[in-house]
Amino acid sequence: GRALAELAAAFPRSRFVGIDISEEAIDAARRAARLRGLDNLAFELRDAAELRDEARFDVVTAFDAIHEQARPTAVLAAIARALRPDGVFLMQDVAGTGQVHLDAGRPLAPFLYAVSCLHALTVSLARGGEGLGAMWGEEAARRMLCDAGFGDVVVNAFPHDDLHRYYVARKCVSRSSLSRAVAAA
């Protein structure tokens, strides 16, 4: 919950909710938020793939987390449902391509593939998951975001962070809601 704690401190008039399946992580995050006096920050113990919220959030963030989900496809779809119509999903994830031969020349590539195989894949597969892995890559990320209902995806790379890509995704506008908007105008 460190990233959310920083956001909650920076934006005290906004409300923040952290979600995790680890009871220990949630307990630690709650204690840290109380110590900092962050009354605008709450943490919920639940699986993001089971998120049933409809149009609850303006912004959803996932920092280096989607590739470790047991069911990343379900998580992305749940995020899309949980966003308000004009909401934004910010996803930070590893800057791989999903193709070993293309990633081989990148700094840290052997380490990242090892971490993917020995941690990210095993965490997912141990829970009966899809086994996406840390090096899933931009092409797969874009496809999965599109399949989840995100139509506008911008990918950013920053000079200070060669390890990650930052995806800013917005939901698709359905034809029926577009027709209603045009009719209302």
Side-chain angles (χ1 to χ4, degrees), residues 87-107:
V88 175
F89 175 43
L90 169 62
M91 178 178 78
Q92 172 205 32
D93 222 301
V94 178
T97 66
Q99 299 179 44
V100 175
H101 69 284
L102 295 177
D103 291 329
R106 294 197 55 220

Side-chain angles (χ1 to χ4, degrees), residues 47-51 53 60-62 65-67 69-83 89-93 130 132 136-137 139-150 153 167 169-171:
D47 185 344
E50 301 298 324
L51 192 62
D53 297 300
V60 173
T61 61
I66 297 299
H67 67 263
Q69 302 297 310
R71 297 179 296 151
T73 302
V75 170
L76 292 173
I79 290 169
R81 280 191 309 276
L83 281 170
F89 175 43
L90 169 62
M91 178 178 78
Q92 172 205 32
D93 222 301
E130 298 168 27
L132 186 59
W136 59 315
E139 183 178 330
R142 284 180 178 276
R143 183 182 67 252
M144 290 177 71
L145 286 164
C146 180
D147 291 347
F150 294 100
V153 178
Y167 299 78
R170 296 179 186 277
K171 294 188 338 183

